[in-house]
Amino acid sequence: MNRKMMIAGNWKMNGLTAEGVSLAKEITDKVKAKKRTCEFVVCPPFTLLSLVKKALRGSKIALGAQDCHWAEKGAHTGDISPAMLRDLGCEYVILGHSERRADHKESSALIGKKVEAAHSFGLKTIVCVGETLEQRESGKTIDVCSKQVRESLPEGVKAANTVIAYEPVWAIGTGKTPTPQEVEEVHAAIRGVLTKKLGKSEADKMRILYGGSVKPSNAKEMLSLEDVDGALIGGASLKADDFIAISDNAGC
Ligand code: PEP
């Protein structure tokens, strides 16, 4: 199946104005410097979205946010709506990142509601799932990830508006990664859940990213696996050289 690789950077809560703009400009220049076959997405914090959008001008790099509320507007102090993200020029929003599931007690049901709202405002979603170390060690990885996929995706999602990111919680920011076989096993199981939920044709088209301590040195191994359609990158997306080297090493 010919799925376009995605290289997506999750900047998390990093970057003041000057450094955020300069990182975005550096990435833009490096992406433009050569013909590339993957789709690039950068997801800065809310505060930098407008400025980064300007810095990306003239490139094909898409802008993404890291979360949104499920409502269009209203009495939700401190929240940002999908309509606001669209208004700022976002194309993507990350939903269900493990840091939001843990720090903000977000359930898969809530994430599903956000996914639905994001799609209704024309955003595409990168929906994250992944097991904790305890869950992996007790043999629950496939069950946990499958359940999260089933419950975080509302009816009617399509490959055109949804990307899944498999991110083992214990691999995020730790330098540890699952073995290629472990990654393949989870990605294949997720593809199976998608097939049951959406039918084979849509499931075959949907991209499933791997995330968790991806860096230039392991990009080739991770991104050449069957069913791995790109990477969601945290720490290494904060250095333009590393972010681009991941795509170079993955051959996209
Ligand atoms: C992430 O948080 O989405 C992530 C994958 O982080 P890191 O690459 O730093 O492990």
Side-chain angles (χ1 to χ4, degrees):
M1 187 71 201
N2 204 6
R3 294 179 290 264
K4 187 171 190 163
M5 293 282 273
M6 173 181 277
I7 301 292
N10 172 14
W11 294 7
K12 311 196 188 195
M13 196 172 70
N14 291 295
L16 302 181
T17 304
E19 57 188 328
V21 169
S22 117
L23 176 59
K25 283 190 176 150
E26 233 188 300
I27 291 172
T28 302
D29 290 344
K30 287 178 192 293
V31 167
K32 279 179 167 175
K34 127 175 185 203
K35 192 166 163 37
R36 299 177 185 277
T37 54
C38 57
E39 178 179 12
F40 284 93
V41 186
V42 291
C43 305
F46 292 131
T47 48
L48 287 175
L49 286 170
S50 281
L51 291 165
V52 169
K53 178 74 187 169
K54 263 191 216 150
L56 300 179
R57 203 175 278 158
S59 77
K60 286 190 183 147
I61 306 170
L63 182 68
Q66 299 170 20
D67 181 47
C68 69
H69 197 271
W70 48 264
E72 178 181 1
K73 59 182 177 180
H76 301 286
T77 303
D79 280 312
I80 303 285
S81 81
M84 290 167 175
L85 297 181
R86 263 318 261 166
D87 186 47
L88 288 179
C90 286
E91 208 176 306
Y92 284 92
V93 60
I94 298 171
L95 291 171
H97 191 283
S98 63
E99 286 151 15
R100 296 219 49 100
R101 288 181 189 260
D103 298 353
H104 299 271
K105 308 279 173 291
E106 291 195 6
S107 65
S108 291
L110 174 68
I111 292 154
K113 216 168 154 183
K114 291 182 176 197
V115 171
E116 196 165 12
H119 291 166
S120 74
F121 285 95
L123 290 163
K124 298 178 220 170
T125 52
I126 300 174
V127 181
C128 303
V129 300
E131 82 286 1
T132 61
L133 186 59
E134 194 193 346
Q135 289 164 336
R136 173 158 286 274
E137 285 175 344
S138 53
K140 295 189 185 135
T141 298
I142 299 293
D143 283 354
V144 167
C145 295
S146 300
K147 187 165 188 280
Q148 286 179 350
V149 171
R150 275 195 301 272
E151 294 179 355
S152 305
L153 296 187
E155 290 310 311
V157 297
K158 294 193 164 49
N161 62 15
T162 308
V163 176
I164 308 291
Y166 167 52
E167 300 205 306
V169 178
W170 52 273
I172 294 180
T174 59
K176 294 182 191 151
T177 53
T179 64
Q181 290 73 18
E182 287 168 338
V183 173
E184 266 179 343
E185 192 192 7
V186 179
H187 279 236
I190 292 174
R191 184 87 54 207
V193 173
L194 294 175
T195 303
K196 270 201 194 128
K197 193 169 171 107
L198 314 172
K200 182 160 169 42
S201 152
E202 219 39 54
D204 279 350
K205 283 187 261 172
M206 192 170 282
R207 290 174 291 182
I208 308 176
L209 313 182
Y210 168 75
S213 295
V214 175
K215 49 192 176 197
S217 58
N218 61 20
K220 189 171 181 205
E221 184 176 45
M222 291 304 194
L223 302 191
S224 60
L225 298 171
E226 170 131 14
D227 268 322
V228 174
D229 307 308
L232 180 56
I233 304 150
S237 72
L238 296 172
K239 287 194 190 128
D241 282 342
D242 285 355
F243 187 57
I244 298 303
I246 288 171
S247 122
D248 286 339
N249 294 355
C252 65

